[in-house]
Amino acid sequence: MRPTAVGTPVDRADARSKVTGTACYTVDVVLPDLAHAVVVQSTVPTGRIVRIDAAAAERAPGVLGVLSHANTPSLAEVPTFPQGPAGQRRPPLQDDTVNFDGEHLAVVVADTLHHAAQAAALIDVAYDREEAVTTLEAGDELPPSGIFGEAPDSVRGDPEAALARAEVRLDATYTTPTEHHHPLEPGATVAAWDGGRLTLYDSTQWVSGVRDAVAMTLGMATDQVRVVSPFVGGAFGSKAMVWPHVVLAALAARHVGRPVKLVLSRAQMFTSLGYRSPTVQRLSLGARQDGTLTAIVHAVTQQTSVFEEFVAGAGYISRSLYACPNVAVRHRLVRVNAPTPTVMRAPGEAVGSFALESALDELAAQSGVDPVALRLRNFAEDEPQEGLAWSSNALRECYQVGAERFGWERRTTEPRSMREGRHLVGWGMASATYGVHSEAAAARVRICADGRILVTSGTQDLGTGTYTTMVQVAADALGVPVERVTAALGDTDLPPAPHSGGSQTAASVGPAVWSAALDACSKVLALAEQGDSYAEILTRHGIEFVEGRGDARPGASASRFAMRSFGAHFAEVQVDPELGEVRLTRFCGVFGAGRILNPKTARSQMIGGIVGGTGMALTERTVTDRRLGRVVSPNLSGYAVPTHADIPWIDVCFIDEHDPHVNALGVKGIGEVAIVGVAAAIANAVHHATGRRIRDLPITPQTLL
Amino acid sequence: MAPLEYLRPSDEGAAIALAEADGRACLLAGGTDVVGLLKDGVLAPSRLVDINALPIAGVEIRDGGLSIGALTRLSDVADHPAVRGRFPALAHAVLAAASPQLRNMATVGGSLLQRTRCGYFRDPVTPCNKRAPGTGCSAIDGEHRLHAILGGSDRCIAVHPSDPAVALLALDAVVRTRGSRKERAIPVDDLYLLPGSTPERETLLEHGELIVAVELPATSFAARSCYLKVRERASFEFALVSAAVALDVRGGVIRTARVALGGVAPRPWRARAAEAVLRGSRMTEATIAAAASAAVRDARPREQNAFKVELVRRVLTRVLATAGAGG
C-alpha cells in the first residue's frame, strides 16, 4: 500500500451533508402516508396490569389503532447479546406482567405525532402493584452464569496469601451510579410493509442484528426484512442491541396498514435502550514497599433486570493491565425491578478502571512512588492472564509522551501543594486499555468506467467517521485520490458486516474493503497491461464497471498474541477549596492504538471519549426514587452531561504504532479506549488538589465540602 | 400535549382580558420553561396567551433607578451598561442563569415566575401537592438532595430555581403588574408565598395579572452588590446554593445590608437574620461568620440535603467578603 490517504486528516465525507442538514437520519425519514406511533410505558416497577382502558384513546382524533398485550400476537424471544442480537430477551406486549417502571405497555398510532401523543395520554392503566426491589443494595447477590462467554470469577496465583504477606495493603470500595448513553438522536424506527416484506429505517449500530432480531421475533425469513440506517445520531452502546420499540414499530405498521414512525422521547430513553449498571467495586491491592504489585482482588456487584442477565465484566481490567502474579476477579449480580442494562462505551473497563486506577493512585500515595513511575514499575511485558506476547503495546510510550506533553515532572507530590489564585490545582493520571475486537465482515468495491469508485458494506457510521475511513482505505488500495471514491453503508442489502461496537468497525470492515479493492483492481488489471487508468481500461473494453468482493475475518494471530489498545490520561483540575466546585482545566490523552486511519476523525473520537469520561467523573448519574422505582427528572436537566463550558482544550496524541498481527491494516480500534481511565485520572487529580479521596462518582461540590 | 387555543394579542389590555376570560389560560413569554411544562403534561391550559407582541421590552433609566420591561430578554438585561455598572448583582445573576441560547429567549418577567425543577412536580405520574393538591409530597421521603432547607412545609419542599429573582430580591426590586381592574407595585420580597398548606399558590399574582415591568430603585447598596452561584457544571445548571448580597458601607460600618439566597427555599429567600447581624457592624471575619451562621439558623435540612446548610455558610462567607472588599 502506498499510504497517501490512510493516516492523513481527510475531511469527513459526510461533513457537508450533516452541517447543512441534508443527511437523513431515521428521525428525518418521511414516507408517503406515514403514520406516527407513541409508546405508553408502565408507571409502577412491578405488578400486574389489571386493566388497560384504551377506549378514549381509540376514539381520539386521528387515531388509527392501539396495541397492547390484549391484541398483540405472540412474539418469539430473541436471545440477548452475545447469544443473540437483542438488548432485551422478553418481547413487548406479551402478557400482563410489569417488571420495571418505564416498560412498554401499549402503542398508539395516529395520523400525526401530535394526535398520537395526545391519545397516548388518554390510555388508562390500572395495576395490581407488588413489592419491588429498586436498588442494588436492596437485593441478593447472585453469581452470573457468564460474561460474554467468560467465567465471572477467576483466580490466578494465590491472592489471599499474597495480600496477607504484602508490605503495603489497600482495601477500598468504589461506586459508580447508573449512567445513560443519551445520544443526540433518540431511539427511532420507521417501519414500512410491502406485502410480506418489511423495510425498517432504524437508528442502530447493527443493521443485520435488527434484521435478524425482528425476523426472529415475527417469525419471518430474514430475507423478507431489510434494514436501512445510513446515518446514526450517536449511540455509545444504546443502539448496539435491538430493543423492543423496533419490533413495536413493525407491529404498529402492520396493524394500521401504513408506514409508521416511532421515536422514543428523551424521558422514554431512560428505560428503553439499556444503561450502564451501577457498580459497587471492592478493590484490595497488595504491593511491595516500592510499589510492585503482588496481589489484586477486584470484586464487583452490578444490577440486572428481574427477568434476565446482562453483565459487563468490570473486573477484568484488573487481570490484564498490570504485571501481578496473584489476581482474583469476582462478579456478582443483583436482580432489580429495572430495565436490563447494556453495553455502554467500554462496558466493563470504563467503570472497572475507575476503581483500579483510583486504587493505583492510592497505592502511589501510600508507598511514596510517583503515579507514573508506579505504573511503569508494574508494566506487563506479556499479557499477564494468558501469558501471551502482546501483538504490540505502546503503553510505556503513552506514559512517557503524555508526561512530557503535560509537564508531569513539574507536579509537586503533596496534595494541596499546587495553587492558582484561590483555587487548589491537582494533577492526576491513569492508564487506559481496551481489547482489540474484530468480526467477519464483507465489502464490495466497484470501479466504474467513468473513474468513480464505490465502496459498499452493511456496516454503520455512528458519527465516528466510517464513511471517511473506508474511502481512504479503498483509495489507497487502488492508488486513486479519495475524491474519486464514495461509500454506501448502513443497509442489509449490502455485504454483511458486524455490529459497530467494541471499537471493531475499522478493524473488521477495513480489511474487507481493502481486500475488495484489491480484488476489483486485479479484475481490471487482468483486462490490460499496467499503465492505463482504470477508466481507460474499462472504457476500452466497453465495460460499465467491475466489482471486487472482499471478506475479512479475524486471523489466527488472535490465539498467538494478546491484542489491546493502550493509553495514558493526564488531567488537571482546579477546585474551589471552600465551595467544592471542580473544573477540568487541562487534559492530555495519549494512545497506542495501532494504525490511525484518519487522525482528524480519530482525534474527534478520543475527545468524545474524554468528554464522556469527564461526565462520568463530575456530573452524570441517573437518580431513581427508591420507593417508586421510577427515574426522577428523566431529562437532560436531571441527567447532566458536560457542557462546552466544562471542557477545556484537550490534547490528543497517538503513538505511531505498527502492529503486523492484529489485521491486514494494523488497525486496533479507538472508540472505547478513549474513555477508559478518564474518571480515575480526574478523581486522582481531585485528590492531588484537595487531599480528599472520592471513591463514589460523580464528584460534586457536595462530596467535597 | 393537549390541544389548546393559541392567541397572540398585541396590547396589554387585550392580553389581560384574554387571560382573565379563561380560568385555564396560561401566559407565554420566552417559553423556555412553559413549553417544556406543556410538553411534559405538567401544564394543560386550554388557552395560551402569547404576550411577546406586547410593547413591554427594554431597559429605561427612570428616577435614578431602572425600569426593565417584563419581556426584556435576559441577555439584554445582562448587556445593559446601567445594569452592569450600577446593579452588578443582577448582571452576575443573569449571566449565571441557564445557557446563552436560553438567555436570548427567557425574559426577566418570566424568570421571576419560573416553576420549580422538582422532579416530582415535573412528572405528572408522581404525587405532588404543588401540581396536584392533596396527592402528597414525593420529595419529603424521596429524592430531595436538591430541595429546600428553608421555608418548606410538610406539604412541599420544592426550591425556586431562578437566579435573577435572587438578585432582584437583594436589590429591593419592585414588580409592576396590571390586571383588568387594577395596577399594582409589588416588592419582589412580597411577591412570593411560602408553600404552607397551599403549595400550589406560589405568588400574590391573580389569574391573568400581567407583570409589565421590574423596577430597580436607586439605593445606597445596589452598587456594592454581587451574586455567587455554586453548581455542578459550569453552565446550563441550576444552583445548588446561590446568594446575592448588597451592602452600603460607610466609614467602615455597614449601614444597610441585603442578603438573599437561591437554591435553598421555595422562594428567593431573604436572610433577614443575616442582614441584622451585618447592620451596624464592621466587615470583619467575625461579622461575616456570624451573618453566615444566622442565615441558616432556622434551616430544617433533611437526610440528603444537609450539605446545603454548610454550603450556604460558605457561599455567604465568600460573597460577603467579596462585596465587603468593594466588589
Side-chain angles (χ1 to χ4, degrees):
Chain A
M1 171 161 76
R2 284 182 297 133
T4 55
V6 163
T8 63
V10 174
D11 285 346
R12 210 175 264 275
D14 48 357
R16 174 172 285 273
S17 69
K18 286 184 172 174
V19 170
T20 56
T22 55
C24 187
Y25 293 85
T26 301
V27 293
D28 301 321
V29 169
V30 175
L31 300 175
D33 212 23
L34 184 67
H36 296 263
V38 166
V39 171
V40 178
Q41 297 185 324
S42 65
T43 57
V44 300
T46 182
R48 291 195 171 276
I49 301 163
V50 177
R51 174 176 47 81
I52 293 190
D53 184 352
E58 280 164 347
R59 285 195 307 272
V63 170
L64 302 169
V66 178
L67 285 173
S68 71
H69 74 274
N71 62 345
T72 297
S74 176
L75 304 170
E77 287 194 354
V78 177
T80 313
F81 192 82
Q83 282 75 36
Q88 176 185 310
R89 174 184 291 269
R90 190 176 138 77
L93 313 189
Q94 294 298 286
D95 56 40
D96 62 356
T97 60
V98 174
N99 290 293
F100 58 90
D101 184 292
E103 191 170 4
H104 306 326
L105 299 188
V107 182
V108 179
V109 191
D111 56 349
T112 67
L113 176 61
H114 186 66
H115 279 149
Q118 215 180 303
L122 300 174
I123 302 259
D124 185 26
V125 186
Y127 305 93
D128 187 359
R129 200 186 150 153
E130 290 157 16
E131 202 60 35
V133 176
T134 61
T135 68
L136 182 60
E137 294 76 21
D140 299 325
E141 290 193 2
L142 306 164
S145 53
I147 304 177
F148 293 5
E150 288 201 61
D153 295 4
S154 72
V155 180
R156 82 170 177 250
D158 188 347
E160 294 304 327
L163 274 178
R165 283 196 309 271
E167 292 167 9
V168 183
R169 261 191 301 274
L170 177 88
D171 184 6
T173 298
Y174 304 84
T175 70
T176 62
T178 296
E179 291 159 6
H180 276 86
H181 317 75
H182 283 309
L184 203 53
E185 185 190 29
T189 309
V190 177
W193 292 86
D194 178 8
R197 278 187 57 85
L198 173 64
T199 301
L200 293 168
Y201 304 82
D202 189 42
S203 187
T204 179
Q205 294 173 244
W206 195 5
V207 286
S208 54
V210 172
R211 176 198 59 198
D212 295 352
V214 171
M216 208 181 304
T217 309
L218 298 178
M220 298 168 65
T222 51
D223 64 5
Q224 293 298 297
V225 182
R226 179 186 174 198
V227 179
V228 183
S229 189
F231 296 103
V232 180
F236 314 114
S238 66
K239 301 166 184 173
M241 317 306 160
V242 188
W243 296 95
H245 70 276
V246 178
V247 80
L248 288 181
L251 287 169
R254 193 164 70 183
H255 186 67
V256 302
R258 286 168 64 165
V260 163
K261 180 189 278 189
L262 189 160
V263 180
L264 297 170
S265 70
R266 187 59 62 181
Q268 289 171 340
M269 286 177 69
F270 281 82
T271 58
S272 306
L273 299 172
Y275 58 95
R276 199 197 292 282
S277 166
T279 67
V280 177
Q281 304 181 59
R282 184 172 171 191
L283 214 86
S284 308
L285 296 184
R288 291 206 284 271
Q289 196 56 57
D290 68 357
T292 306
L293 286 166
T294 56
I296 306 175
V297 178
H298 194 161
V300 186
T301 305
Q302 296 172 84
Q303 77 181 38
T304 190
S305 61
V306 293
F307 53 88
E308 67 185 327
E309 268 185 25
F310 176 90
V311 53
Y316 291 151
I317 189 172
S318 290
R319 303 195 302 206
S320 50
L321 185 50
Y322 297 113
C324 178
N326 307 293
V327 177
V329 170
R330 196 183 83 137
H331 293 92
R332 291 293 177 269
L333 277 178
V334 175
R335 291 191 180 277
V336 173
N337 288 103
T340 308
T342 195
V343 294
M344 180 165 165
R345 203 168 196 169
E349 281 87 347
V351 280
S353 65
F354 168 63
L356 178 64
E357 290 299 283
S358 293
L360 260 284
D361 203 62
E362 299 200 45
L363 176 62
Q366 267 190 40
S367 52
V369 180
D370 173 81
V372 175
L374 179 79
R375 287 166 174 85
L376 284 167
R377 183 153 300 155
N378 289 291
F379 177 78
E381 297 286 348
D382 296 308
E383 199 286 319
Q385 183 72 10
E386 305 294 336
L388 295 174
W390 299 113
S391 64
S392 62
N393 182 337
L395 183 54
R396 274 191 290 227
E397 291 84 342
C398 292
Y399 295 139
Q400 185 195 334
V401 170
E404 275 168 22
R405 294 174 81 103
F406 192 78
W408 184 258
E409 82 283 354
R410 296 195 307 276
R411 179 182 185 263
T412 55
T413 307
E414 280 305 304
R416 302 180 73 90
S417 61
M418 294 170 74
R419 280 184 177 267
E420 174 79 42
R422 75 161 84 235
H423 288 95
L424 297 164
V425 174
W427 290 6
M429 60 81 59
S431 309
T433 182
Y434 192 75
V436 174
H437 299 284
S438 65
E439 288 181 64
R444 280 197 293 267
V445 171
R446 179 179 287 193
I447 303 174
C448 301
D450 64 2
R452 287 182 305 113
I453 316 289
L454 177 64
V455 179
T456 56
S457 175
T459 182
Q460 303 74 208
D461 188 335
L462 314 181
T464 50
T466 315
Y467 278 109
T468 315
T469 52
M470 294 305 108
V471 160
Q472 291 174 270
V473 169
D476 277 0
L478 297 172
V480 300
V482 289
E483 292 74 23
R484 207 86 70 70
V485 189
T486 54
L489 311 173
D491 190 330
T492 50
D493 279 357
L494 302 175
H499 81 279
S500 292
S503 304
Q504 69 175 3
T505 301
S508 304
V509 185
V513 170
W514 175 254
S515 152
L518 294 183
D519 183 43
C521 178
S522 67
K523 283 176 179 166
V524 178
L525 294 183
L527 298 171
E529 65 277 21
Q530 291 191 21
D532 293 318
S533 74
Y534 298 117
E536 284 164 358
I537 297 167
L538 293 177
T539 305
R540 198 183 316 134
H541 286 81
I543 297 172
E544 196 185 336
F545 64 85
V546 300
E547 193 161 76
R549 286 159 186 275
D551 288 288
R553 54 188 64 253
S557 299
S559 55
R560 293 189 290 126
F561 293 99
M563 303 192 273
R564 299 188 77 84
S565 294
F566 291 95
H569 295 293
F570 293 82
E572 177 187 275
V573 298
Q574 291 192 7
V575 182
D576 188 306
E578 287 89 35
L579 306 180
E581 283 183 317
V582 180
R583 297 288 178 251
L584 186 65
T585 46
R586 271 194 317 136
F587 202 97
C588 172
V590 181
F591 306 94
R595 185 195 293 275
I596 300 306
L597 295 176
N598 182 329
K600 183 182 278 186
T601 55
R603 179 170 182 273
S604 288
Q605 273 217 75
M606 305 329 269
I607 290 172
I610 290 163
V611 172
T614 304
M616 278 182 71
L618 300 178
T619 59
E620 292 181 40
R621 81 178 118 194
T622 300
V623 176
T624 299
D625 182 288
R626 283 155 192 269
R627 295 153 315 139
L628 304 173
R630 183 170 172 84
V631 175
V632 181
S633 297
N635 50 55
L636 292 178
S637 172
Y639 189 89
V641 297
T643 67
H644 278 86
D646 294 291
I647 301 299
W649 185 78
I650 293 171
D651 179 25
V652 170
C653 174
F654 293 102
I655 303 293
D656 195 14
E657 186 178 62
H658 298 279
D659 188 323
H661 306 297
V662 281
N663 48 55
L665 296 179
V667 167
K668 282 184 166 181
I670 55 173
E672 285 161 285
V673 70
I675 196 174
V676 179
V678 174
I682 292 172
N684 295 342
V686 168
H687 176 261
H688 183 236
T690 64
R692 297 281 307 281
R693 175 64 58 184
I694 306 301
R695 301 190 182 93
D696 307 295
L697 295 182
I699 302 168
T700 64
Q702 181 181 354
T703 59
L704 287 173
L705 282 184
Chain B
M1 182 171 141
L4 51 79
E5 181 187 19
Y6 171 84
L7 300 161
R8 190 179 162 97
S10 55
D11 73 86
E12 289 171 35
I16 293 159
L18 289 169
E20 284 188 353
D22 181 339
R24 288 176 55 222
C26 173
L27 298 178
L28 180 76
T32 55
D33 196 15
V34 164
V35 172
L37 292 165
L38 291 173
K39 290 172 86 170
D40 287 344
V42 178
L43 294 181
S46 51
R47 173 180 282 185
L48 200 56
V49 181
D50 181 343
I51 59 169
N52 284 287
L54 306 189
I56 50 173
V59 181
E60 275 177 50
I61 297 173
R62 193 182 288 171
D63 305 332
L66 294 184
S67 176
I68 305 175
L71 285 178
T72 312
R73 310 288 155 175
L74 291 184
S75 46
D76 294 330
V77 174
D79 273 353
H80 199 278
V83 175
R84 291 209 309 268
R86 293 171 46 208
F87 303 90
L90 181 59
H92 299 164
V94 167
L95 290 176
S99 66
Q101 295 85 347
L102 287 166
R103 294 197 293 270
N104 287 338
M105 284 302 291
T107 65
V108 69
S111 87
L112 286 168
L113 302 181
Q114 257 180 289
R115 308 304 298 277
T116 181
R117 302 304 303 181
C118 173
Y120 302 104
F121 170 74
R122 286 177 181 259
D123 179 354
V125 165
T126 53
C128 168
N129 288 324
K130 186 187 280 298
R131 176 175 33 75
T135 54
C137 174
S138 296
I140 286 174
D141 294 316
E143 292 297 322
H144 55 250
R145 190 175 70 87
L146 304 173
H147 284 70
I149 56 169
L150 290 161
S153 73
D154 58 1
R155 303 287 179 89
C156 181
I157 53 170
V159 159
H160 197 273
S162 171
D163 293 300
V166 179
L168 291 170
L169 175 59
L171 297 171
D172 276 5
V174 172
V175 171
R176 288 243 165 237
T177 73
R178 216 182 128 184
S180 60
R181 290 182 305 283
K182 60 182 174 188
E183 295 186 11
R184 293 204 274 179
I186 309 172
V188 169
D189 201 6
D190 296 338
L191 177 67
Y192 297 98
L193 306 173
L194 285 176
S197 57
T198 54
E200 71 278 13
R201 294 207 57 215
E202 295 181 354
T203 69
L204 279 183
L205 298 183
E206 290 166 13
H207 180 73
E209 190 173 0
L210 181 71
I211 297 180
V212 292
V214 178
E215 294 179 346
L216 285 167
T219 64
S220 58
F221 47 84
R224 189 183 278 223
S225 68
C226 57
Y227 184 75
L228 178 66
K229 174 178 180 179
V230 176
R231 49 183 155 174
E232 292 182 356
R233 58 181 177 184
S235 175
F236 201 6
E237 183 69 288
F238 296 94
L240 289 172
V241 167
S242 71
V245 302
L247 300 174
D248 175 11
V249 185
R250 272 175 280 173
V253 175
I254 302 163
R255 304 299 173 94
T256 313
R258 290 287 182 274
V259 178
L261 300 172
V264 295
R267 51 162 289 170
W269 188 257
R270 180 94 179 259
R272 289 180 192 279
E275 293 174 5
V277 170
L278 294 168
R279 199 179 310 119
S281 303
R282 291 184 174 273
M283 187 59 88
T284 62
E285 278 186 26
T287 305
I288 290 174
S293 291
V296 286
R297 194 171 295 139
D298 296 330
R300 280 193 54 205
R302 292 164 196 276
E303 184 194 347
Q304 296 162 8
N305 64 5
F307 74 97
K308 284 190 175 180
V309 177
E310 179 60 21
L311 191 53
V312 167
R313 283 195 204 104
R314 294 187 186 194
V315 166
L316 278 181
T317 302
R318 172 76 57 83
V319 77
L320 284 169
T322 307

